[in-house]
Amino acid sequence: MGTEPTRDEATANGWKSQSVRITANYSDYKPPFKVEPIIRRMLDSVPEKYLIGLSEVVLTNTSALSRARRRSVSKSRKRKVRQATALGLYYPAWNGKQAWIEIFVDNTLQRWSRALWLRIPFIRENLLADVLFHEIGHHGHF
């Protein structure tokens, strides 16, 4: 009879747990390609110990933000940056809620949207990887 693989065997065989949820929340925006499978593959490449406590990655666009959030600022490299121009944000665990990451897909792809570069998988995945892994780095520091 079949037995369940241990956690170490499952991770070694590529059956990593799907503990980090990916949520798409776009408002009047459709990405030029499917972003969720790319983000899932990138999350699966990260060792599980770096994702402990991270509950969700939210894929969104800036028009989905409320007016207050579009006008609010975050600190980045000792400067104030408007959330509406950010590529991604990391929200640490706070008040009983787990940490999560927000990626603004429209801002991330904006520089390359008018060219045909987004048809090249390496280019588009690299743009998303820069933002995702940067925010996971913030999670690692906390």
Side-chain angles (χ1 to χ4, degrees), residues 7-47:
R7 183 180 177 114
D8 292 334
E9 289 172 344
T11 303
N13 291 329
W15 302 329
K16 197 167 187 177
S17 68
Q18 305 275 323
S19 61
V20 179
R21 188 174 57 244
I22 299 174
T23 306
N25 182 23
Y26 302 112
S27 175
D28 298 328
Y29 177 76
K30 185 175 184 295
F33 52 89
K34 291 188 180 258
V35 178
E36 293 90 343
I38 295 169
I39 297 296
R40 171 59 58 202
R41 195 172 66 246
M42 290 177 192
L43 286 171
D44 287 345
S45 73
V46 176

mmCIF file of all heavy atoms in Angstrom, residues 7-47:
data_model
loop_
_atom_site.group_PDB
_atom_site.id
_atom_site.type_symbol
_atom_site.label_atom_id
_atom_site.label_comp_id
_atom_site.label_asym_id
_atom_site.label_seq_id
_atom_site.Cartn_x
_atom_site.Cartn_y
_atom_site.Cartn_z
ATOM 1 N N ARG A 7 7.845 15.159 4.702
ATOM 2 C CA ARG A 7 7.958 16.545 4.262
ATOM 3 C C ARG A 7 9.268 16.773 3.509
ATOM 4 O O ARG A 7 9.302 17.441 2.491
ATOM 5 C CB ARG A 7 7.865 17.465 5.480
ATOM 6 C CG ARG A 7 7.895 18.922 5.144
ATOM 7 C CD ARG A 7 7.795 19.726 6.437
ATOM 8 N NE ARG A 7 7.882 21.122 6.158
ATOM 9 C CZ ARG A 7 6.894 21.969 6.336
ATOM 10 N NH1 ARG A 7 5.747 21.571 6.793
ATOM 11 N NH2 ARG A 7 7.050 23.243 6.072
ATOM 12 N N ASP A 8 10.377 16.194 4.014
ATOM 13 C CA ASP A 8 11.676 16.365 3.343
ATOM 14 C C ASP A 8 11.673 15.700 1.977
ATOM 15 O O ASP A 8 12.203 16.242 1.015
ATOM 16 C CB ASP A 8 12.804 15.804 4.209
ATOM 17 C CG ASP A 8 13.008 16.618 5.476
ATOM 18 O OD1 ASP A 8 12.678 17.822 5.458
ATOM 19 O OD2 ASP A 8 13.479 16.047 6.469
ATOM 20 N N GLU A 9 11.062 14.506 1.875
ATOM 21 C CA GLU A 9 11.004 13.820 0.590
ATOM 22 C C GLU A 9 10.146 14.600 -0.393
ATOM 23 O O GLU A 9 10.471 14.710 -1.569
ATOM 24 C CB GLU A 9 10.422 12.414 0.762
ATOM 25 C CG GLU A 9 11.341 11.449 1.472
ATOM 26 C CD GLU A 9 10.636 10.141 1.797
ATOM 27 O OE1 GLU A 9 9.383 10.101 1.743
ATOM 28 O OE2 GLU A 9 11.331 9.167 2.094
ATOM 29 N N ALA A 10 9.051 15.144 0.081
ATOM 30 C CA ALA A 10 8.161 15.899 -0.795
ATOM 31 C C ALA A 10 8.855 17.137 -1.337
ATOM 32 O O ALA A 10 8.746 17.438 -2.520
ATOM 33 C CB ALA A 10 6.891 16.302 -0.048
ATOM 34 N N THR A 11 9.589 17.833 -0.501
ATOM 35 C CA THR A 11 10.312 19.024 -0.949
ATOM 36 C C THR A 11 11.427 18.640 -1.916
ATOM 37 O O THR A 11 11.637 19.296 -2.926
ATOM 38 C CB THR A 11 10.891 19.791 0.253
ATOM 39 O OG1 THR A 11 9.817 20.119 1.125
ATOM 40 C CG2 THR A 11 11.566 21.064 -0.187
ATOM 41 N N ALA A 12 12.136 17.545 -1.629
ATOM 42 C CA ALA A 12 13.226 17.111 -2.491
ATOM 43 C C ALA A 12 12.702 16.663 -3.853
ATOM 44 O O ALA A 12 13.363 16.833 -4.868
ATOM 45 C CB ALA A 12 13.999 15.968 -1.833
ATOM 46 N N ASN A 13 11.506 16.113 -3.903
ATOM 47 C CA ASN A 13 10.923 15.653 -5.155
ATOM 48 C C ASN A 13 10.152 16.736 -5.892
ATOM 49 O O ASN A 13 9.522 16.463 -6.895
ATOM 50 C CB ASN A 13 9.995 14.454 -4.892
ATOM 51 C CG ASN A 13 10.763 13.234 -4.466
ATOM 52 O OD1 ASN A 13 11.898 13.048 -4.879
ATOM 53 N ND2 ASN A 13 10.156 12.415 -3.638
ATOM 54 N N GLY A 14 10.171 17.955 -5.387
ATOM 55 C CA GLY A 14 9.508 19.059 -6.055
ATOM 56 C C GLY A 14 8.033 19.187 -5.702
ATOM 57 O O GLY A 14 7.305 19.929 -6.329
ATOM 58 N N TRP A 15 7.542 18.461 -4.705
ATOM 59 C CA TRP A 15 6.150 18.542 -4.293
ATOM 60 C C TRP A 15 6.021 19.524 -3.145
ATOM 61 O O TRP A 15 5.532 19.200 -2.091
ATOM 62 C CB TRP A 15 5.631 17.186 -3.865
ATOM 63 C CG TRP A 15 5.737 16.139 -4.904
ATOM 64 C CD1 TRP A 15 5.664 16.313 -6.254
ATOM 65 C CD2 TRP A 15 5.953 14.758 -4.694
ATOM 66 N NE1 TRP A 15 5.810 15.129 -6.898
ATOM 67 C CE2 TRP A 15 5.995 14.137 -5.945
ATOM 68 C CE3 TRP A 15 6.114 13.968 -3.570
ATOM 69 C CZ2 TRP A 15 6.185 12.785 -6.098
ATOM 70 C CZ3 TRP A 15 6.299 12.618 -3.739
ATOM 71 C CH2 TRP A 15 6.329 12.043 -4.987
ATOM 72 N N LYS A 16 6.489 20.679 -3.360
ATOM 73 C CA LYS A 16 6.516 21.685 -2.306
ATOM 74 C C LYS A 16 5.094 22.081 -1.907
ATOM 75 O O LYS A 16 4.198 22.117 -2.725
ATOM 76 C CB LYS A 16 7.267 22.896 -2.822
ATOM 77 C CG LYS A 16 7.709 23.824 -1.774
ATOM 78 C CD LYS A 16 8.675 24.777 -2.376
ATOM 79 C CE LYS A 16 9.238 25.606 -1.275
ATOM 80 N NZ LYS A 16 10.227 26.507 -1.718
ATOM 81 N N SER A 17 4.926 22.395 -0.656
ATOM 82 C CA SER A 17 3.596 22.795 -0.193
ATOM 83 C C SER A 17 3.195 24.103 -0.852
ATOM 84 O O SER A 17 4.017 24.956 -1.146
ATOM 85 C CB SER A 17 3.587 22.941 1.322
ATOM 86 O OG SER A 17 4.381 24.042 1.694
ATOM 87 N N GLN A 18 1.926 24.243 -1.074
ATOM 88 C CA GLN A 18 1.381 25.440 -1.702
ATOM 89 C C GLN A 18 0.870 26.383 -0.626
ATOM 90 O O GLN A 18 -0.242 26.880 -0.697
ATOM 91 C CB GLN A 18 0.249 25.034 -2.650
ATOM 92 C CG GLN A 18 0.638 24.024 -3.685
ATOM 93 C CD GLN A 18 1.260 24.647 -4.908
ATOM 94 O OE1 GLN A 18 0.834 25.715 -5.322
ATOM 95 N NE2 GLN A 18 2.246 24.025 -5.467
ATOM 96 N N SER A 19 1.680 26.624 0.393
ATOM 97 C CA SER A 19 1.209 27.381 1.552
ATOM 98 C C SER A 19 1.019 28.870 1.274
ATOM 99 O O SER A 19 0.217 29.514 1.929
ATOM 100 C CB SER A 19 2.170 27.190 2.719
ATOM 101 O OG SER A 19 3.443 27.675 2.373
ATOM 102 N N VAL A 20 1.740 29.424 0.325
ATOM 103 C CA VAL A 20 1.584 30.852 0.008
ATOM 104 C C VAL A 20 0.506 30.975 -1.073
ATOM 105 O O VAL A 20 0.638 30.443 -2.166
ATOM 106 C CB VAL A 20 2.911 31.470 -0.474
ATOM 107 C CG1 VAL A 20 2.720 32.931 -0.828
ATOM 108 C CG2 VAL A 20 3.989 31.312 0.570
ATOM 109 N N ARG A 21 -0.539 31.683 -0.744
ATOM 110 C CA ARG A 21 -1.677 31.863 -1.649
ATOM 111 C C ARG A 21 -1.362 32.998 -2.627
ATOM 112 O O ARG A 21 -0.765 34.007 -2.260
ATOM 113 C CB ARG A 21 -2.904 32.182 -0.807
ATOM 114 C CG ARG A 21 -4.208 32.213 -1.528
ATOM 115 C CD ARG A 21 -5.391 32.391 -0.590
ATOM 116 N NE ARG A 21 -5.281 33.591 0.227
ATOM 117 C CZ ARG A 21 -5.173 33.594 1.550
ATOM 118 N NH1 ARG A 21 -5.139 32.477 2.226
ATOM 119 N NH2 ARG A 21 -5.076 34.728 2.208
ATOM 120 N N ILE A 22 -1.807 32.842 -3.871
ATOM 121 C CA ILE A 22 -1.662 33.892 -4.884
ATOM 122 C C ILE A 22 -3.058 34.377 -5.237
ATOM 123 O O ILE A 22 -3.918 33.584 -5.614
ATOM 124 C CB ILE A 22 -0.944 33.368 -6.137
ATOM 125 C CG1 ILE A 22 0.460 32.897 -5.784
ATOM 126 C CG2 ILE A 22 -0.898 34.457 -7.210
ATOM 127 C CD1 ILE A 22 1.190 32.234 -6.922
ATOM 128 N N THR A 23 -3.275 35.681 -5.092
ATOM 129 C CA THR A 23 -4.578 36.274 -5.360
ATOM 130 C C THR A 23 -4.419 37.368 -6.413
ATOM 131 O O THR A 23 -3.546 38.227 -6.294
ATOM 132 C CB THR A 23 -5.154 36.907 -4.071
ATOM 133 O OG1 THR A 23 -5.165 35.921 -3.049
ATOM 134 C CG2 THR A 23 -6.547 37.425 -4.302
ATOM 135 N N ALA A 24 -5.264 37.311 -7.440
ATOM 136 C CA ALA A 24 -5.277 38.357 -8.463
ATOM 137 C C ALA A 24 -6.460 39.279 -8.179
ATOM 138 O O ALA A 24 -7.593 38.818 -8.043
ATOM 139 C CB ALA A 24 -5.396 37.752 -9.847
ATOM 140 N N ASN A 25 -6.178 40.577 -8.067
ATOM 141 C CA ASN A 25 -7.218 41.562 -7.773
ATOM 142 C C ASN A 25 -7.006 42.774 -8.683
ATOM 143 O O ASN A 25 -6.414 43.765 -8.281
ATOM 144 C CB ASN A 25 -7.166 41.965 -6.295
ATOM 145 C CG ASN A 25 -8.247 42.948 -5.937
ATOM 146 O OD1 ASN A 25 -9.264 43.030 -6.601
ATOM 147 N ND2 ASN A 25 -8.010 43.713 -4.887
ATOM 148 N N TYR A 26 -7.479 42.651 -9.929
ATOM 149 C CA TYR A 26 -7.298 43.724 -10.896
ATOM 150 C C TYR A 26 -8.584 44.524 -11.040
ATOM 151 O O TYR A 26 -9.680 43.981 -10.929
ATOM 152 C CB TYR A 26 -6.919 43.157 -12.269
ATOM 153 C CG TYR A 26 -5.662 42.326 -12.260
ATOM 154 C CD1 TYR A 26 -5.708 40.957 -12.476
ATOM 155 C CD2 TYR A 26 -4.426 42.902 -12.033
ATOM 156 C CE1 TYR A 26 -4.567 40.190 -12.485
ATOM 157 C CE2 TYR A 26 -3.272 42.143 -12.032
ATOM 158 C CZ TYR A 26 -3.343 40.784 -12.261
ATOM 159 O OH TYR A 26 -2.216 40.032 -12.257
ATOM 160 N N SER A 27 -8.449 45.807 -11.323
ATOM 161 C CA SER A 27 -9.591 46.668 -11.581
ATOM 162 C C SER A 27 -9.373 47.350 -12.934
ATOM 163 O O SER A 27 -8.454 48.155 -13.083
ATOM 164 C CB SER A 27 -9.709 47.724 -10.476
ATOM 165 O OG SER A 27 -10.735 48.619 -10.778
ATOM 166 N N ASP A 28 -10.194 47.015 -13.895
ATOM 167 C CA ASP A 28 -10.091 47.582 -15.253
ATOM 168 C C ASP A 28 -8.699 47.371 -15.852
ATOM 169 O O ASP A 28 -8.149 48.269 -16.493
ATOM 170 C CB ASP A 28 -10.436 49.073 -15.258
ATOM 171 C CG ASP A 28 -11.854 49.326 -14.818
ATOM 172 O OD1 ASP A 28 -12.709 48.468 -15.079
ATOM 173 O OD2 ASP A 28 -12.104 50.381 -14.202
ATOM 174 N N TYR A 29 -8.133 46.207 -15.630
ATOM 175 C CA TYR A 29 -6.806 45.897 -16.161
ATOM 176 C C TYR A 29 -6.733 44.409 -16.439
ATOM 177 O O TYR A 29 -7.223 43.594 -15.644
ATOM 178 C CB TYR A 29 -5.718 46.295 -15.160
ATOM 179 C CG TYR A 29 -4.315 45.944 -15.600
ATOM 180 C CD1 TYR A 29 -3.659 46.692 -16.566
ATOM 181 C CD2 TYR A 29 -3.650 44.861 -15.044
ATOM 182 C CE1 TYR A 29 -2.376 46.370 -16.965
ATOM 183 C CE2 TYR A 29 -2.360 44.535 -15.436
ATOM 184 C CZ TYR A 29 -1.728 45.294 -16.399
ATOM 185 O OH TYR A 29 -0.459 44.975 -16.798
ATOM 186 N N LYS A 30 -6.131 44.060 -17.561
ATOM 187 C CA LYS A 30 -5.892 42.667 -17.886
ATOM 188 C C LYS A 30 -4.425 42.544 -18.269
ATOM 189 O O LYS A 30 -3.980 43.175 -19.233
ATOM 190 C CB LYS A 30 -6.780 42.227 -19.051
ATOM 191 C CG LYS A 30 -6.666 40.748 -19.366
ATOM 192 C CD LYS A 30 -7.651 40.359 -20.449
ATOM 193 C CE LYS A 30 -7.635 38.880 -20.703
ATOM 194 N NZ LYS A 30 -6.399 38.360 -21.226
ATOM 195 N N PRO A 31 -3.647 41.769 -17.524
ATOM 196 C CA PRO A 31 -2.233 41.631 -17.859
ATOM 197 C C PRO A 31 -2.065 41.032 -19.257
ATOM 198 O O PRO A 31 -2.932 40.273 -19.713
ATOM 199 C CB PRO A 31 -1.698 40.669 -16.793
ATOM 200 C CG PRO A 31 -2.736 40.588 -15.749
ATOM 201 C CD PRO A 31 -4.024 40.990 -16.355
ATOM 202 N N PRO A 32 -0.972 41.346 -19.935
ATOM 203 C CA PRO A 32 -0.771 40.838 -21.293
ATOM 204 C C PRO A 32 -0.468 39.336 -21.352
ATOM 205 O O PRO A 32 -0.415 38.761 -22.440
ATOM 206 C CB PRO A 32 0.414 41.654 -21.805
ATOM 207 C CG PRO A 32 1.086 42.182 -20.592
ATOM 208 C CD PRO A 32 0.049 42.291 -19.530
ATOM 209 N N PHE A 33 -0.272 38.691 -20.203
ATOM 210 C CA PHE A 33 -0.018 37.257 -20.130
ATOM 211 C C PHE A 33 -0.432 36.780 -18.754
ATOM 212 O O PHE A 33 -0.710 37.576 -17.866
ATOM 213 C CB PHE A 33 1.454 36.932 -20.406
ATOM 214 C CG PHE A 33 2.408 37.717 -19.554
ATOM 215 C CD1 PHE A 33 2.800 37.243 -18.314
ATOM 216 C CD2 PHE A 33 2.904 38.940 -19.985
ATOM 217 C CE1 PHE A 33 3.663 37.976 -17.511
ATOM 218 C CE2 PHE A 33 3.769 39.673 -19.193
ATOM 219 C CZ PHE A 33 4.151 39.190 -17.955
ATOM 220 N N LYS A 34 -0.496 35.472 -18.564
ATOM 221 C CA LYS A 34 -0.895 34.902 -17.269
ATOM 222 C C LYS A 34 0.253 35.048 -16.276
ATOM 223 O O LYS A 34 1.314 34.472 -16.459
ATOM 224 C CB LYS A 34 -1.287 33.443 -17.426
ATOM 225 C CG LYS A 34 -2.563 33.255 -18.203
ATOM 226 C CD LYS A 34 -2.991 31.812 -18.142
ATOM 227 C CE LYS A 34 -4.264 31.643 -18.910
ATOM 228 N NZ LYS A 34 -5.417 31.558 -18.056
ATOM 229 N N VAL A 35 0.015 35.815 -15.237
ATOM 230 C CA VAL A 35 1.049 36.126 -14.253
ATOM 231 C C VAL A 35 1.081 35.085 -13.133
ATOM 232 O O VAL A 35 2.158 34.731 -12.642
ATOM 233 C CB VAL A 35 0.826 37.543 -13.677
ATOM 234 C CG1 VAL A 35 1.857 37.869 -12.630
ATOM 235 C CG2 VAL A 35 0.845 38.573 -14.788
ATOM 236 N N GLU A 36 -0.076 34.555 -12.733
ATOM 237 C CA GLU A 36 -0.153 33.648 -11.587
ATOM 238 C C GLU A 36 0.745 32.422 -11.712
ATOM 239 O O GLU A 36 1.461 32.092 -10.765
ATOM 240 C CB GLU A 36 -1.607 33.213 -11.322
ATOM 241 C CG GLU A 36 -2.505 34.333 -10.866
ATOM 242 C CD GLU A 36 -3.187 35.052 -12.025
ATOM 243 O OE1 GLU A 36 -2.751 34.910 -13.188
ATOM 244 O OE2 GLU A 36 -4.151 35.767 -11.764
ATOM 245 N N PRO A 37 0.758 31.705 -12.865
ATOM 246 C CA PRO A 37 1.635 30.526 -12.938
ATOM 247 C C PRO A 37 3.123 30.872 -12.837
ATOM 248 O O PRO A 37 3.909 30.097 -12.289
ATOM 249 C CB PRO A 37 1.324 29.912 -14.303
ATOM 250 C CG PRO A 37 0.147 30.616 -14.837
ATOM 251 C CD PRO A 37 -0.078 31.843 -14.032
ATOM 252 N N ILE A 38 3.488 32.043 -13.325
ATOM 253 C CA ILE A 38 4.889 32.465 -13.248
ATOM 254 C C ILE A 38 5.274 32.719 -11.791
ATOM 255 O O ILE A 38 6.325 32.270 -11.323
ATOM 256 C CB ILE A 38 5.119 33.722 -14.117
ATOM 257 C CG1 ILE A 38 4.886 33.395 -15.592
ATOM 258 C CG2 ILE A 38 6.506 34.294 -13.896
ATOM 259 C CD1 ILE A 38 4.839 34.599 -16.500
ATOM 260 N N ILE A 39 4.404 33.421 -11.060
ATOM 261 C CA ILE A 39 4.667 33.704 -9.649
ATOM 262 C C ILE A 39 4.700 32.401 -8.855
ATOM 263 O O ILE A 39 5.550 32.225 -7.976
ATOM 264 C CB ILE A 39 3.614 34.681 -9.092
ATOM 265 C CG1 ILE A 39 3.681 36.034 -9.818
ATOM 266 C CG2 ILE A 39 3.769 34.866 -7.586
ATOM 267 C CD1 ILE A 39 4.974 36.797 -9.622
ATOM 268 N N ARG A 40 3.790 31.461 -9.141
ATOM 269 C CA ARG A 40 3.782 30.172 -8.436
ATOM 270 C C ARG A 40 5.099 29.436 -8.649
ATOM 271 O O ARG A 40 5.691 28.905 -7.722
ATOM 272 C CB ARG A 40 2.594 29.319 -8.903
ATOM 273 C CG ARG A 40 2.588 27.893 -8.414
ATOM 274 C CD ARG A 40 2.587 27.737 -6.904
ATOM 275 N NE ARG A 40 1.463 28.396 -6.289
ATOM 276 C CZ ARG A 40 1.452 28.781 -5.002
ATOM 277 N NH1 ARG A 40 2.495 28.569 -4.216
ATOM 278 N NH2 ARG A 40 0.413 29.387 -4.504
ATOM 279 N N ARG A 41 5.584 29.410 -9.901
ATOM 280 C CA ARG A 41 6.843 28.724 -10.190
ATOM 281 C C ARG A 41 8.011 29.381 -9.448
ATOM 282 O O ARG A 41 8.892 28.698 -8.932
ATOM 283 C CB ARG A 41 7.081 28.709 -11.698
ATOM 284 C CG ARG A 41 8.158 27.726 -12.116
ATOM 285 C CD ARG A 41 8.272 27.557 -13.613
ATOM 286 N NE ARG A 41 8.724 28.777 -14.259
ATOM 287 C CZ ARG A 41 7.995 29.497 -15.086
ATOM 288 N NH1 ARG A 41 6.771 29.161 -15.382
ATOM 289 N NH2 ARG A 41 8.484 30.584 -15.638
ATOM 290 N N MET A 42 7.994 30.703 -9.365
ATOM 291 C CA MET A 42 9.053 31.412 -8.649
ATOM 292 C C MET A 42 8.984 31.119 -7.155
ATOM 293 O O MET A 42 10.020 30.914 -6.520
ATOM 294 C CB MET A 42 8.956 32.914 -8.900
ATOM 295 C CG MET A 42 9.313 33.310 -10.294
ATOM 296 S SD MET A 42 9.101 35.074 -10.524
ATOM 297 C CE MET A 42 9.233 35.188 -12.286
ATOM 298 N N LEU A 43 7.783 31.100 -6.591
ATOM 299 C CA LEU A 43 7.640 30.784 -5.165
ATOM 300 C C LEU A 43 8.090 29.359 -4.870
ATOM 301 O O LEU A 43 8.695 29.092 -3.827
ATOM 302 C CB LEU A 43 6.192 30.975 -4.717
ATOM 303 C CG LEU A 43 5.717 32.413 -4.557
ATOM 304 C CD1 LEU A 43 4.219 32.456 -4.340
ATOM 305 C CD2 LEU A 43 6.442 33.104 -3.427
ATOM 306 N N ASP A 44 7.814 28.447 -5.790
ATOM 307 C CA ASP A 44 8.236 27.059 -5.597
ATOM 308 C C ASP A 44 9.752 26.906 -5.645
ATOM 309 O O ASP A 44 10.295 25.941 -5.127
ATOM 310 C CB ASP A 44 7.587 26.144 -6.638
ATOM 311 C CG ASP A 44 6.109 25.923 -6.365
ATOM 312 O OD1 ASP A 44 5.655 26.231 -5.239
ATOM 313 O OD2 ASP A 44 5.404 25.456 -7.279
ATOM 314 N N SER A 45 10.440 27.873 -6.263
ATOM 315 C CA SER A 45 11.898 27.797 -6.335
ATOM 316 C C SER A 45 12.584 28.309 -5.072
ATOM 317 O O SER A 45 13.775 28.111 -4.888
ATOM 318 C CB SER A 45 12.410 28.585 -7.546
ATOM 319 O OG SER A 45 12.301 29.975 -7.314
ATOM 320 N N VAL A 46 11.822 28.982 -4.208
ATOM 321 C CA VAL A 46 12.383 29.547 -2.979
ATOM 322 C C VAL A 46 12.373 28.474 -1.888
ATOM 323 O O VAL A 46 11.352 27.809 -1.693
ATOM 324 C CB VAL A 46 11.549 30.772 -2.517
ATOM 325 C CG1 VAL A 46 12.061 31.320 -1.194
ATOM 326 C CG2 VAL A 46 11.571 31.842 -3.580
ATOM 327 N N PRO A 47 13.478 28.279 -1.168
ATOM 328 C CA PRO A 47 13.461 27.332 -0.048
ATOM 329 C C PRO A 47 12.356 27.687 0.944
ATOM 330 O O PRO A 47 12.129 28.857 1.257
ATOM 331 C CB PRO A 47 14.844 27.494 0.581
ATOM 332 C CG PRO A 47 15.695 28.002 -0.525
ATOM 333 C CD PRO A 47 14.801 28.870 -1.366
#
